């Protein structure tokens, strides 16, 4: 079975192709046959394509005025040139898309039909950057591969759709909940994948575990997962709530916004820009949203960079504490994404807040660039895992399951 995965961001489109056996899914993520990404940020009005396949990496840049044509060009590299892995594009069996917002309607991956497309478009008001890009990818595939190719939407909100109401409803007038102002949670594909992988690594059934997954990348969120179900998470109505992030503030007192509106003549766009683009590591340090740059500045004695790091850890520990309380216990703490997978310092500092739970890190294991490993000390009461997140693989698995069911129902 050949599965194409599309993962669209605000200014990029990543894609990969998996070839899987029709009979069983491998336990661990296999290497994709082909990987590609288009970046529309390198220079204004230009697209840059990077393709990896057949042990070859190719890069190309062109003047761009039509993103769908750029996507078509990216897919051409599947059946053309040195990165060719298919005779023709019609060999692709199914296409999976990461879709950021599925609202309250979608609690699982879904075959795309006109109704699903309409819902993704309608939910664009809640994810104005991502949902339109996701829809663009879906429509580009319809144009390139024809409308009969099965396409699947895998929603970042779906994993949190079973959160109990006490975690999902904001304490504001209830009518707003009825109008859809509620906590949705994000990064669900990653949280779900990491929870499943952690259960595999621990050799225990997922439905017997209390887990906290820490997805720490440019965007950061935690999920409290009990018996395989997300019962609490730090992101809410939008991906702005919760932890401090690269350039997002995370949670702040909402009265600050009222104050800025009333006393400083801020408007909605300026507030949006401040909280989503100029806060977090970038806003405090004044240097960068990237943790690596912050750590370099700290090494050179930069106090604002140190403050940014201290706030990040303080808020991370506080949020882990909140998730422990929601779970009423903890079997494993799981770190993933750019910071979670690579920064031994963040893991060490985060864990240092939980020695009272008898959570003990093995500092040598923590420093050893662990991938899919338990880094807790043998006598720790809580396991600590580093899991390499594999969102594209998780999307491919959903596609495999859906297409297998469709084929079974036809035979
Ligand atoms: P995104 O959310 O955009 O997918 P990533 O998961 O790639 O982001 O995470 C990006 C973050 O990971 C950046 O803050 C970056 O500094 C951090 N990061 C990546 N590698 C390292 C490293 N070796 N040490 C510390 N931080 C790292």
């Amino acid at each position: 079975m050949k599965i194409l995965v599309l993962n669209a961001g605000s200014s990029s489109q990543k894609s990969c192709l998996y070839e899987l056996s029709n009979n069983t899914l491998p336990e661990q993520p296999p290497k994709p046959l082909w990987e590609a990404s288009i970046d529309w940020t390198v220079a204004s009005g230009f697209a840059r394509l990077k393709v990896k396949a057949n042990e070859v990496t190719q890069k190309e840049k062109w003047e761009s005025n039509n993103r769908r044509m750029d996507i078509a060009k990216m897919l051409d590299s599947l059946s053309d040139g040195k990165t060719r892995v298919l005779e023709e594009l019609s060999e692709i069996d199914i296409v999976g898309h990461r879709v950021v917002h599925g609202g309250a309607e979608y609690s699982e991956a879904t075959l795309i039909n006109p109704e699903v497309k309409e819902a993704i478009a309608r939910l664009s008001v809640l994810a104005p950057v991502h949902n339109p890009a996701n829809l663009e990818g879906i429509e580009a595939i319809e144009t390139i591969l024809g409308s009969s190719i099965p396409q699947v939407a895998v929603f970042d909100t779906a994993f949190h759709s079973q959160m109990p109401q006490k975690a999902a409803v904001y304490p504001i007038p209830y009518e707003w909940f009825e109008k859809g102002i509620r906590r949705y949670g994000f990064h669900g594909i990653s949280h779900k994948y990491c929870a499943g992988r952690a259960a595999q690594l621990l050799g225990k059934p997922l439905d017997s575990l209390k887990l906290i997954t820490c997805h720490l990348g440019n965007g950061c969120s935690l999920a409290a997962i009990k018996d395989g179900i997300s019962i609490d998470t730090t992101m809410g109505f939008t991906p702005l709530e919760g932890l401090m992030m690269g350039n997002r503030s995370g949670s702040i007192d909402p009265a600050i916004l009222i104050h800025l509106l009333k006393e400083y003549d801020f408007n909605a766009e300026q507030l949006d820009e401040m909280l989503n683009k100029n806060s977090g590591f970038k806003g405090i340090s004044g240097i960068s949203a990237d943790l690596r740059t912050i750590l370099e500045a700290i090494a050179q004695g930069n106090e604002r960079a140190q403050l940014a790091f201290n706030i990040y850890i303080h808020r991370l520990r506080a949020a882990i504490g909140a998730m422990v309380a929601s779970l009423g216990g903890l079997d494993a703490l799981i770190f993933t994404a750019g910071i979670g997978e690579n920064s031994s310092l963040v893991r060490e500092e985060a864990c240092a807040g939980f020695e009272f739970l008898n959570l003990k890190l093995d500092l040598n294991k923590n420093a050893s660039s662990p991938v899919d490993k338990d880094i807790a000390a043998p006598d720790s009461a809580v396991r600590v895992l580093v899991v390499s997140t594999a969102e594209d693989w998780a999307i491919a698995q959903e596609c495999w399951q859906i297409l297998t069911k469709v084929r079974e129902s036809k035979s």
Side-chain angles (χ1 to χ4, degrees), residues 14 215-219 281 289-292 295 337-339 342-343:
K14 293 183 193 154
H215 179 106
L216 309 178
N218 280 313
F281 280 135
D290 191 304
L291 177 64
R292 285 166 292 197
L295 294 176
I339 295 175
N342 295 300
S343 177

